[in-house]
Tab-separated table of all heavy atoms in Angstrom:
chain	number	residue	atom	x	y	z
A	29	SER	N	0.834	-1.181	0.000
A	29	SER	CA	0.000	0.000	0.000
A	29	SER	C	0.872	1.236	0.000
A	29	SER	O	1.966	1.239	0.565
A	29	SER	CB	-0.919	0.028	1.229
A	29	SER	OG	-1.784	-1.084	1.256
A	30	CYS	N	0.380	2.288	-0.618
A	30	CYS	CA	1.089	3.560	-0.640
A	30	CYS	C	0.067	4.677	-0.556
A	30	CYS	O	-0.751	4.837	-1.469
A	30	CYS	CB	1.933	3.693	-1.903
A	30	CYS	SG	2.714	5.309	-2.099
A	31	ALA	N	0.128	5.438	0.512
A	31	ALA	CA	-0.806	6.530	0.731
A	31	ALA	C	-0.103	7.874	0.611
A	31	ALA	O	0.911	8.111	1.277
A	31	ALA	CB	-1.457	6.401	2.103
A	32	ALA	N	-0.645	8.732	-0.217
A	32	ALA	CA	-0.129	10.084	-0.357
A	32	ALA	C	-0.854	11.001	0.620
A	32	ALA	O	-2.078	10.951	0.739
A	32	ALA	CB	-0.308	10.584	-1.787
A	33	SER	N	-0.102	11.829	1.309
A	33	SER	CA	-0.693	12.743	2.271
A	33	SER	C	0.013	14.087	2.217
A	33	SER	O	1.080	14.220	1.627
A	33	SER	CB	-0.621	12.174	3.692
A	33	SER	OG	0.727	11.992	4.097
A	34	GLY	N	-0.583	15.075	2.872
A	34	GLY	CA	-0.037	16.413	2.887
A	34	GLY	C	-0.900	17.367	2.094
A	34	GLY	O	-2.103	17.168	1.949
A	35	SER	N	-0.272	18.402	1.583
A	35	SER	CA	-0.985	19.410	0.802
A	35	SER	C	-1.156	18.909	-0.622
A	35	SER	O	-0.277	19.063	-1.471
A	35	SER	CB	-0.227	20.734	0.826
A	35	SER	OG	-0.088	21.238	2.139
A	36	ILE	N	-2.298	18.288	-0.878
A	36	ILE	CA	-2.577	17.680	-2.171
A	36	ILE	C	-3.851	18.241	-2.757
A	36	ILE	O	-4.893	18.249	-2.098
A	36	ILE	CB	-2.697	16.150	-2.045
A	36	ILE	CG1	-1.379	15.540	-1.578
A	36	ILE	CG2	-3.130	15.544	-3.377
A	36	ILE	CD1	-1.454	14.064	-1.301
A	37	PHE	N	-3.748	18.685	-3.979
A	37	PHE	CA	-4.924	19.119	-4.708
A	37	PHE	C	-5.511	17.957	-5.517
A	37	PHE	O	-6.717	17.730	-5.497
A	37	PHE	CB	-4.597	20.304	-5.624
A	37	PHE	CG	-5.769	20.785	-6.433
A	37	PHE	CD1	-6.798	21.485	-5.830
A	37	PHE	CD2	-5.846	20.534	-7.794
A	37	PHE	CE1	-7.890	21.938	-6.556
A	37	PHE	CE2	-6.925	20.982	-8.541
A	37	PHE	CZ	-7.949	21.685	-7.923
A	38	ARG	N	-4.632	17.222	-6.206
A	38	ARG	CA	-5.072	16.076	-6.987
A	38	ARG	C	-3.888	15.156	-7.264
A	38	ARG	O	-2.773	15.605	-7.497
A	38	ARG	CB	-5.692	16.519	-8.319
A	38	ARG	CG	-6.323	15.374	-9.110
A	38	ARG	CD	-6.932	15.851	-10.423
A	38	ARG	NE	-5.917	16.277	-11.383
A	38	ARG	CZ	-5.725	17.522	-11.750
A	38	ARG	NH1	-6.478	18.500	-11.252
A	38	ARG	NH2	-4.771	17.813	-12.630
A	39	VAL	N	-4.143	13.859	-7.225
A	39	VAL	CA	-3.143	12.860	-7.579
A	39	VAL	C	-3.453	12.332	-8.973
A	39	VAL	O	-4.549	11.823	-9.213
A	39	VAL	CB	-3.119	11.698	-6.575
A	39	VAL	CG1	-2.073	10.661	-6.986
A	39	VAL	CG2	-2.836	12.213	-5.174
A	40	ASN	N	-2.494	12.451	-9.867
A	40	ASN	CA	-2.684	11.956	-11.223
A	40	ASN	C	-2.223	10.493	-11.297
A	40	ASN	O	-2.726	9.657	-10.572
A	40	ASN	CB	-1.941	12.845	-12.216
A	40	ASN	CG	-2.511	14.254	-12.252
A	40	ASN	OD1	-3.716	14.446	-12.123
A	40	ASN	ND2	-1.649	15.245	-12.444
A	41	ASP	N	-1.261	10.195	-12.173
A	41	ASP	CA	-0.790	8.821	-12.302
A	41	ASP	C	-0.082	8.348	-11.035
A	41	ASP	O	0.608	9.119	-10.362
A	41	ASP	CB	0.154	8.684	-13.485
A	41	ASP	CG	-0.525	8.919	-14.823
A	41	ASP	OD1	-1.751	9.111	-14.844
A	41	ASP	OD2	0.180	8.901	-15.855
A	42	MET	N	-0.234	7.078	-10.720
A	42	MET	CA	0.487	6.445	-9.629
A	42	MET	C	1.068	5.134	-10.142
A	42	MET	O	0.546	4.549	-11.088
A	42	MET	CB	-0.417	6.181	-8.429
A	42	MET	CG	-1.103	7.412	-7.872
A	42	MET	SD	-2.009	7.091	-6.324
A	42	MET	CE	-0.647	7.127	-5.141
A	43	GLY	N	2.131	4.689	-9.501
A	43	GLY	CA	2.728	3.453	-9.953
A	43	GLY	C	3.717	2.874	-8.968
A	43	GLY	O	4.001	3.459	-7.925
A	44	TRP	N	4.209	1.700	-9.329
A	44	TRP	CA	5.201	0.993	-8.533
A	44	TRP	C	6.419	0.675	-9.380
A	44	TRP	O	6.293	0.256	-10.536
A	44	TRP	CB	4.622	-0.310	-7.973
A	44	TRP	CG	3.542	-0.104	-6.958
A	44	TRP	CD1	2.209	-0.048	-7.169
A	44	TRP	CD2	3.731	0.068	-5.554
A	44	TRP	NE1	1.535	0.150	-5.997
A	44	TRP	CE2	2.440	0.227	-4.983
A	44	TRP	CE3	4.848	0.106	-4.724
A	44	TRP	CZ2	2.258	0.417	-3.617
A	44	TRP	CZ3	4.658	0.299	-3.366
A	44	TRP	CH2	3.384	0.449	-2.831
A	45	TYR	N	7.583	0.873	-8.786
A	45	TYR	CA	8.861	0.519	-9.377
A	45	TYR	C	9.616	-0.350	-8.395
A	45	TYR	O	9.318	-0.363	-7.200
A	45	TYR	CB	9.675	1.772	-9.708
A	45	TYR	CG	9.062	2.652	-10.776
A	45	TYR	CD1	7.953	3.445	-10.502
A	45	TYR	CD2	9.595	2.683	-12.062
A	45	TYR	CE1	7.383	4.248	-11.475
A	45	TYR	CE2	9.038	3.487	-13.042
A	45	TYR	CZ	7.933	4.268	-12.742
A	45	TYR	OH	7.384	5.060	-13.718
A	46	ARG	N	10.603	-1.078	-8.890
A	46	ARG	CA	11.411	-1.896	-7.996
A	46	ARG	C	12.861	-1.892	-8.453
A	46	ARG	O	13.160	-1.690	-9.623
A	46	ARG	CB	10.881	-3.327	-7.922
A	46	ARG	CG	11.014	-4.134	-9.207
A	46	ARG	CD	10.327	-5.485	-9.062
A	46	ARG	NE	10.481	-6.312	-10.249
A	46	ARG	CZ	9.888	-7.482	-10.419
A	46	ARG	NH1	9.102	-7.977	-9.468
A	46	ARG	NH2	10.085	-8.173	-11.531
A	47	GLN	N	13.744	-2.133	-7.498
A	47	GLN	CA	15.166	-2.184	-7.786
A	47	GLN	C	15.808	-3.301	-6.982
A	47	GLN	O	15.784	-3.284	-5.754
A	47	GLN	CB	15.844	-0.846	-7.460
A	47	GLN	CG	17.296	-0.779	-7.878
A	47	GLN	CD	17.844	0.633	-7.820
A	47	GLN	OE1	17.318	1.484	-7.104
A	47	GLN	NE2	18.891	0.897	-8.583
A	48	ALA	N	16.360	-4.270	-7.686
A	48	ALA	CA	17.082	-5.365	-7.068
A	48	ALA	C	18.539	-4.972	-6.909
A	48	ALA	O	19.041	-4.104	-7.636
A	48	ALA	CB	16.957	-6.627	-7.911
A	49	PRO	N	19.257	-5.592	-5.971
A	49	PRO	CA	20.665	-5.261	-5.768
A	49	PRO	C	21.475	-5.399	-7.042
A	49	PRO	O	21.408	-6.416	-7.727
A	49	PRO	CB	21.115	-6.280	-4.714
A	49	PRO	CG	19.878	-6.612	-3.964
A	49	PRO	CD	18.787	-6.599	-5.004
A	50	GLY	N	22.237	-4.365	-7.372
A	50	GLY	CA	23.092	-4.389	-8.541
A	50	GLY	C	22.381	-4.213	-9.863
A	50	GLY	O	23.015	-4.325	-10.914
A	51	LYS	N	21.080	-3.941	-9.828
A	51	LYS	CA	20.325	-3.784	-11.057
A	51	LYS	C	19.663	-2.415	-11.124
A	51	LYS	O	19.541	-1.714	-10.121
A	51	LYS	CB	19.266	-4.879	-11.188
A	51	LYS	CG	19.834	-6.278	-11.355
A	51	LYS	CD	18.749	-7.270	-11.697
A	51	LYS	CE	19.326	-8.641	-11.984
A	51	LYS	NZ	18.265	-9.605	-12.367
A	52	GLN	N	19.243	-2.046	-12.327
A	52	GLN	CA	18.557	-0.778	-12.526
A	52	GLN	C	17.126	-0.840	-12.007
A	52	GLN	O	16.518	-1.909	-11.938
A	52	GLN	CB	18.541	-0.410	-14.011
A	52	GLN	CG	19.898	-0.072	-14.599
A	52	GLN	CD	19.805	0.339	-16.046
A	52	GLN	OE1	19.189	-0.351	-16.861
A	52	GLN	NE2	20.393	1.475	-16.377
A	53	ARG	N	16.615	0.316	-11.649
A	53	ARG	CA	15.215	0.413	-11.271
A	53	ARG	C	14.342	0.133	-12.483
A	53	ARG	O	14.624	0.605	-13.589
A	53	ARG	CB	14.917	1.804	-10.715
A	53	ARG	CG	13.490	2.001	-10.235
A	53	ARG	CD	13.254	3.443	-9.823
A	53	ARG	NE	13.380	4.344	-10.952
A	53	ARG	CZ	13.309	5.667	-10.870
A	53	ARG	NH1	13.123	6.253	-9.691
A	53	ARG	NH2	13.432	6.405	-11.968
A	54	GLU	N	13.281	-0.619	-12.282
A	54	GLU	CA	12.394	-0.956	-13.370
A	54	GLU	C	10.941	-0.693	-12.991
A	54	GLU	O	10.552	-0.782	-11.826
A	54	GLU	CB	12.554	-2.426	-13.780
A	54	GLU	CG	12.151	-3.428	-12.711
A	54	GLU	CD	12.196	-4.866	-13.196
A	54	GLU	OE1	12.381	-5.085	-14.407
A	54	GLU	OE2	12.038	-5.776	-12.358
A	55	LEU	N	10.165	-0.383	-13.994
A	55	LEU	CA	8.742	-0.173	-13.796
A	55	LEU	C	8.057	-1.508	-13.551
A	55	LEU	O	8.334	-2.494	-14.237
A	55	LEU	CB	8.132	0.523	-15.013
A	55	LEU	CG	6.650	0.886	-14.948
A	55	LEU	CD1	6.399	2.169	-15.733
A	55	LEU	CD2	5.790	-0.238	-15.513
A	56	VAL	N	7.169	-1.538	-12.570
A	56	VAL	CA	6.390	-2.733	-12.272
A	56	VAL	C	4.973	-2.581	-12.805
A	56	VAL	O	4.488	-3.424	-13.553
A	56	VAL	CB	6.358	-3.029	-10.767
A	56	VAL	CG1	5.487	-4.253	-10.481
A	56	VAL	CG2	7.770	-3.243	-10.238
A	57	ALA	N	4.306	-1.519	-12.397
A	57	ALA	CA	2.934	-1.286	-12.822
A	57	ALA	C	2.576	0.177	-12.617
A	57	ALA	O	3.087	0.826	-11.710
A	57	ALA	CB	1.956	-2.175	-12.045
A	58	THR	N	1.690	0.682	-13.460
A	58	THR	CA	1.205	2.049	-13.326
A	58	THR	C	-0.303	2.078	-13.492
A	58	THR	O	-0.897	1.180	-14.087
A	58	THR	CB	1.836	3.003	-14.362
A	58	THR	OG1	1.524	2.554	-15.683
A	58	THR	CG2	3.344	3.065	-14.187
A	59	SER	N	-0.897	3.135	-12.966
A	59	SER	CA	-2.334	3.326	-13.073
A	59	SER	C	-2.646	4.806	-13.198
A	59	SER	O	-2.147	5.621	-12.421
A	59	SER	CB	-3.045	2.744	-11.844
A	59	SER	OG	-4.436	2.991	-11.900
A	60	THR	N	-3.470	5.157	-14.172
A	60	THR	CA	-3.938	6.530	-14.286
A	60	THR	C	-5.038	6.778	-13.271
A	60	THR	O	-5.561	5.850	-12.650
A	60	THR	CB	-4.464	6.823	-15.694
A	60	THR	OG1	-5.681	6.091	-15.909
A	60	THR	CG2	-3.448	6.446	-16.758
A	61	ARG	N	-5.398	8.032	-13.106
A	61	ARG	CA	-6.462	8.369	-12.172
A	61	ARG	C	-7.770	7.694	-12.565
A	61	ARG	O	-8.574	7.323	-11.700
A	61	ARG	CB	-6.652	9.880	-12.115
A	61	ARG	CG	-7.706	10.329	-11.119
A	61	ARG	CD	-7.772	11.839	-10.988
A	61	ARG	NE	-8.793	12.231	-10.031
A	61	ARG	CZ	-8.607	12.294	-8.731
A	61	ARG	NH1	-7.418	11.998	-8.204
A	61	ARG	NH2	-9.598	12.656	-7.932
A	62	GLY	N	-7.975	7.524	-13.861
A	62	GLY	CA	-9.179	6.884	-14.342
A	62	GLY	C	-9.152	5.371	-14.308
A	62	GLY	O	-10.144	4.734	-14.672
A	63	GLY	N	-8.014	4.787	-13.900
A	63	GLY	CA	-7.954	3.348	-13.738
A	63	GLY	C	-7.324	2.574	-14.883
A	63	GLY	O	-7.332	1.335	-14.861
A	64	TYR	N	-6.778	3.250	-15.873
A	64	TYR	CA	-6.058	2.546	-16.928
A	64	TYR	C	-4.733	2.053	-16.382
A	64	TYR	O	-3.985	2.807	-15.766
A	64	TYR	CB	-5.832	3.450	-18.135
A	64	TYR	CG	-7.102	3.827	-18.840
A	64	TYR	CD1	-7.717	5.052	-18.603
A	64	TYR	CD2	-7.697	2.954	-19.758
A	64	TYR	CE1	-8.897	5.392	-19.241
A	64	TYR	CE2	-8.873	3.294	-20.396
A	64	TYR	CZ	-9.466	4.518	-20.142
A	64	TYR	OH	-10.638	4.851	-20.788
A	65	THR	N	-4.418	0.792	-16.618
A	65	THR	CA	-3.247	0.168	-16.017
A	65	THR	C	-2.263	-0.331	-17.053
A	65	THR	O	-2.617	-0.612	-18.196
A	65	THR	CB	-3.650	-1.005	-15.117
A	65	THR	OG1	-4.376	-1.972	-15.890
A	65	THR	CG2	-4.530	-0.514	-13.975
A	66	ASN	N	-1.018	-0.462	-16.618
A	66	ASN	CA	0.057	-0.976	-17.452
A	66	ASN	C	0.985	-1.796	-16.572
A	66	ASN	O	1.286	-1.402	-15.443
A	66	ASN	CB	0.823	0.166	-18.117
A	66	ASN	CG	1.913	-0.333	-19.042
A	66	ASN	OD1	1.663	-1.117	-19.948
A	66	ASN	ND2	3.141	0.128	-18.814
A	67	TYR	N	1.443	-2.948	-17.087
A	67	TYR	CA	2.289	-3.847	-16.317
A	67	TYR	C	3.536	-4.236	-17.079
A	67	TYR	O	3.524	-4.358	-18.306
A	67	TYR	CB	1.537	-5.131	-15.965
A	67	TYR	CG	0.329	-4.939	-15.091
A	67	TYR	CD1	-0.929	-4.737	-15.646
A	67	TYR	CD2	0.444	-4.973	-13.708
A	67	TYR	CE1	-2.044	-4.567	-14.844
A	67	TYR	CE2	-0.664	-4.808	-12.901
A	67	TYR	CZ	-1.906	-4.601	-13.472
A	67	TYR	OH	-3.013	-4.433	-12.666
């Protein structure tokens, strides 16, 4: 889970990335505000 807090007017795209030891960060999944997803 990931919760955004603070002074927020609107949250647009959200997503998850991961980085294994010795490797580059990679995209895992993204979601637009309207619910369109990419994996």
Side-chain angles (χ1 to χ4, degrees):
S29 299
C30 174
S33 62
S35 300
I36 297 174
F37 179 73
R38 187 180 69 250
V39 179
N40 295 324
D41 294 356
M42 303 187 80
W44 293 93
Y45 295 74
R46 67 186 182 186
Q47 186 168 23
K51 294 189 175 182
Q52 292 183 310
R53 182 185 64 184
E54 65 174 351
L55 183 147
V56 178
T58 60
S59 177
T60 69
R61 182 174 180 84
Y64 293 99
T65 59
N66 183 55
Y67 297 91

